[in-house]
Amino acid sequence: MPLLTLSDRRGYRRRILLDLTVLLLALVLLWGGAGFPLPQSLRFHAMERRRLLESSQVVLETKLPSGWHITVGVTDDHIHAAGTTQDPALDQFYRWERNGKPQLILLPNDYAAAPVFAAVDAPSEAAAAELSILLSLQGSTDISAQYMAAGKLDNGLFLFTLEPQFTGDHSTLAQAESLWLRHGYQSLHYQQPAPYTLTFLDDSGAVLAVVHSENIP
C-alpha cells in the first residue's frame, strides 16, 4: 500500500472536517426544527434556577399519555414537579413541602386530561400501591365521588391515574366530576390534594403502610 504524501494527508483531513461540518449542520437543523429543545432535566433545573430555588435530585422523568413530559425532584425539605411541552409558555412548575412521610402530589398536566398523581417517598419495599381519594366540587361534600386507583410503578415512584366514572351521565355529580377533571389543575389549592388514603403493599400482598392525608374527613 503506497504511503500517503503530505498533500494527500491534508486532503484527507479536509474531507473529514468537511464531513463533520455537514453532519453538525444537519444536527443543528434538526434541533432547530424541533424548537431547540433542551433535555428534560436541564429544562427542569433551569426552571428551579429562575425561581431561585435549591437544585433538587431528580427522582422521576416520564411522559404522560397527554404528551406532557414530567420531571419530579426532591430536596431535603421540598418536592418539585414540572410539566413541559413543546411550547414553553405552557410549562408548569409545582412545589410542596416534604414531610418525610409518603405523600401524594398532583402532577402537572393538560387540564383536560385525566388527573395523574404520584406517591413520593414510598416505602422502599413496596411492590404495589392503592389510592382512595375523594374528589368534590369546590370542597363541597354534598357533590363528591370516591375514586380508587392502583399505582403503576415508574422509576421508583407510584403513579395513579383517575379515569372518569360517569361517562354519558348527566347528573349533578357527573357535571361536578367533569368540572374537576377538566379544571382541577387550575385550582389555587393544588398544593393540598383532595382527602386521600394511600396503601402500600409488599410483593406478597401484605400491607406495609397506610397513609392518610391531613385533610381526610
Side-chain angles (χ1 to χ4, degrees), residues 11-21:
Y12 184 64
R13 284 197 293 267
R14 281 196 297 268
R15 285 196 297 273
I16 292 176
L17 290 174
L18 179 61
D19 290 343
L20 290 174
T21 300

Side-chain angles (χ1 to χ4, degrees), residues 91-131:
D91 291 353
Q92 298 180 25
F93 187 94
Y94 294 169
R95 185 173 185 245
W96 300 264
E97 289 189 7
R98 190 180 183 192
N99 60 24
K101 301 183 297 183
Q103 63 190 97
L104 194 70
I105 64 170
L106 174 64
L107 296 181
N109 196 3
D110 182 346
Y111 72 85
V116 182
F117 295 85
V120 180
D121 290 328
S124 58
E125 306 88 354
E130 298 172 350
L131 169 66

Side-chain angles (χ1 to χ4, degrees), residues 15-39:
R15 285 196 297 273
I16 292 176
L17 290 174
L18 179 61
D19 290 343
L20 290 174
T21 300
V22 171
L23 178 60
L24 180 60
L25 287 174
L27 291 174
V28 170
L29 289 174
L30 289 173
W31 186 36
F36 298 100
L38 292 174

Side-chain angles (χ1 to χ4, degrees), residues 58-171:
V58 173
V59 293
L60 174 69
E61 286 186 279
T62 193
K63 185 176 181 180
L64 299 182
S66 63
W68 280 60
H69 291 273
I70 300 298
T71 307
V72 177
V74 296
T75 69
D76 289 341
D77 302 314
H78 291 91
I79 302 169
H80 300 164
T84 57
T85 68
Q86 291 186 349
D87 183 359
L90 298 177
D91 291 353
Q92 298 180 25
F93 187 94
Y94 294 169
R95 185 173 185 245
W96 300 264
E97 289 189 7
R98 190 180 183 192
N99 60 24
K101 301 183 297 183
Q103 63 190 97
L104 194 70
I105 64 170
L106 174 64
L107 296 181
N109 196 3
D110 182 346
Y111 72 85
V116 182
F117 295 85
V120 180
D121 290 328
S124 58
E125 306 88 354
E130 298 172 350
L131 169 66
S132 172
I133 187 167
L134 181 70
L135 299 187
S136 59
L137 180 60
Q138 297 179 345
S140 170
T141 55
D142 296 329
I143 306 176
S144 60
Q146 194 80 27
Y147 290 76
M148 300 292 295
K152 177 184 177 183
L153 196 57
D154 191 330
N155 293 321
L157 270 68
F158 288 98
L159 305 185
F160 306 88
T161 302
L162 301 189
E163 299 294 350
Q165 295 182 1
F166 304 102
T167 304
D169 190 348
H170 299 288
S171 66

